[in-house]
Amino acid sequence: MRHHQGLRLLSVTALLVAGTLTQPEPAPAGERAVYVTNSESSDISRFVVDAATGRPILTGDRVTAGPGVRQMALTPDARLAYASNAGNGTISAYKIGPQGRLIPQATVPTGGDTPLGIVVTPGGRFLYVAHVFSRSVAGFAIAPGGRLSPLSGSPTQTSVANPRGVAVTPDGRFLYVGHGDPGPDRLNSIGAISTFAIKTDGTLTEIETPIRLGRFCGAMTIVPDGSRLYLTCSDTSEIHGFAIGADGALTALPHSPYAVPTFPEGIIASPDGRFVYVASPAPGTGGTPPGDGAVSGFAVGADGALTPVRRSPLPAGIGPVGITILPDGRFLYASTGDPRDDGLDGALSAFGLDAAGTMRPLPGSPFPTGGVGPAYGSAAVLPDQGPVASFTPRVVAGRTVTFDASASTDPDGQVARHHWTFGDGTSLTTAGPRATHTYPRAGTFRVTLTVTDNEGCSTALISTGQAVLCNGTPAATTARDILIR
């Protein structure tokens, strides 16, 4: 008897305006904002990058920041941005508009001296900033409208002086602080890294004895799976690598520390965790030799040890210091001085990255920022927002079903890949939104669709310790049960 074929369904990003949430204007597909802070001109430059070619285009006027502006931290949902102002002990707060445009909001005192490193937790609820000369880390709760409220007991004192850099594990449970003395005793100082547990209310508790190492340390990156941390120590020209335990404890990686060209400062892990890149300004301070500086790349071994990639290091303007990477890991950017005017003005060096992590300077690099004086942590990228999966099935003949995912969307790009599992042990990946499948028998089958956008963002949140690159979401996958008769 021939079964009658039937089918039954059994289951089935934003801007902040005046403190309220509204639906965002769709971003042009394939664009990504990259920012450079300019400490001497006290402002922020914005580039719009073509995600296909990596070429940055300086866009709009520079946006005012505080004196001595340093690092930026952006919320994972790409709605808010904050910048530390070392010159007056404040944070500049911004809402983020179309194409990453910064809309100034408020200036918030940090409660300490010389705020430098700044980070937002991967969940977007808390912000932390290190005070170089106050021996403390300030913590803030981030309200839905972007307002910062000091956490109870903030600032938190650190047991080691001169906190500079901060990084948070991808699960938001631990905060690490890199220390370095920029004062008159610098040449006799020893750097450090300290560990704090982040409680559910955002307050901090130091949980490990600080590890003393190197000299003038600070910037850190954490690979996206949260297993390893890498810390730059500038005066000793090295990277210290650590395995991160389940309790947040740090254990030195094999062969750590790793040598890196003169005065490493900025550091970033690739989105897949296979590479680490470092910006070295070579300023001739802290007993290090002067030079133009460079960007270096390292492959991360199975044991976490670093080895230089081919053709590393490469020149990157004069004094490259901040460094960031696009969410798909194909392009790298370093804030630097423009060699066309002896480094007096700011610029952005741009590199393409191949599958082996090798860097390739882009034509026209470095690109002028229009600002002056990029400094610590002065390059940042707008987080990519994950896509939303949706599909409808339709019987075409017998047990053959066509699935249409045209209703899937991406708030800041386009859906580029559709992965289907049909519930009968088979699967299919397509670039286009439609798939056809013939079932071998009658029954109930759960069909699952997972979508990925044009920058590789899907269900997973991808964080590098200092920033979220991809704000992945469970909404990138959806499932429906179908009954085949």
Side-chain angles (χ1 to χ4, degrees), residues 117-119 128 130 137 164-168 175-178 218 220 376 465-466:
I118 187 171
V119 67
Y128 301 99
V137 175
R164 299 181 68 239
V166 285
V168 176
L175 174 81
Y176 297 96
V177 181
M220 291 165 284
Y376 179 94
Q466 298 179 36

Side-chain angles (χ1 to χ4, degrees), residues 164-166 177-180 192 216-220 231-234 265 376:
R164 299 181 68 239
V166 285
V177 181
H179 301 259
F216 200 59
C217 308
M220 291 165 284
L231 165 76
T232 60
C233 291
S234 301
E265 181 87 327
Y376 179 94

Side-chain angles (χ1 to χ4, degrees), residues 192-274:
I193 183 170
S194 51
T195 305
F196 293 80
I198 301 175
K199 298 180 181 179
T200 55
D201 63 357
T203 57
L204 302 175
T205 301
E206 193 164 5
I207 58 173
E208 296 283 333
T209 301
I211 301 171
R212 305 306 297 258
L213 74 183
R215 192 172 77 236
F216 200 59
C217 308
M220 291 165 284
T221 192
I222 298 173
V223 295
D225 69 3
S227 64
R228 300 180 183 112
L229 177 149
Y230 298 92
L231 165 76
T232 60
C233 291
S234 301
D235 286 359
T236 45
S237 294
E238 57 194 11
I239 303 168
H240 289 261
F242 300 91
I244 302 175
D247 59 355
L250 299 176
T251 304
L253 292 173
H255 313 299
S256 176
Y258 312 101
V260 64
T262 307
F263 205 88
E265 181 87 327
I267 186 168
I268 189 78
S270 64
D272 59 8
R274 296 174 54 225

Side-chain angles (χ1 to χ4, degrees), residues 12 48 78 107 124 146 218 240 247 302 329 339 355-356 395 432 434:
V12 292
V48 173
T107 301
H240 289 261
D247 59 355
V395 177
R434 294 177 180 83

Side-chain angles (χ1 to χ4, degrees), residues 34-37 70-72 74 219-221 230 232 239 260 263-270 275-281 294-298 312-316 319-326 331-336 347-351 353 357 359 374-382 464-467 469:
V34 172
Y35 305 95
V36 176
T37 60
R70 291 301 200 271
Q71 192 168 19
M72 287 183 69
L74 295 89
M220 291 165 284
T221 192
Y230 298 92
T232 60
I239 303 168
V260 64
F263 205 88
E265 181 87 327
I267 186 168
I268 189 78
S270 64
F275 304 101
V276 168
Y277 297 94
V278 178
S280 299
V295 169
S296 304
F298 296 85
S312 173
L314 287 180
V321 57
I323 194 164
T324 192
I325 194 168
L326 287 198
F331 299 100
L332 181 78
Y333 302 89
S335 53
T336 188
L348 185 68
S349 289
F351 300 88
L353 302 173
M359 299 175 289
Y376 179 94
S378 50
V381 64
L382 188 69
T464 63
Q466 298 179 36
L469 295 177

Side-chain angles (χ1 to χ4, degrees), residues 412-472:
D412 57 356
Q414 57 192 10
V415 176
R417 188 165 68 249
H418 307 74
H419 181 73
W420 304 88
T421 59
F422 297 111
D424 61 355
T426 63
S427 62
L428 178 68
T429 299
T430 62
R434 294 177 180 83
T436 299
H437 182 67
T438 300
Y439 284 90
R441 63 188 183 279
T444 299
F445 302 90
R446 169 150 289 195
V447 180
T448 302
L449 168 67
T450 302
V451 294
T452 303
D453 73 12
N454 57 301
E455 295 177 85
C457 195
S458 184
T459 58
L461 184 143
I462 298 175
S463 169
T464 63
Q466 298 179 36
V468 166
L469 295 177
C470 160
N471 189 28

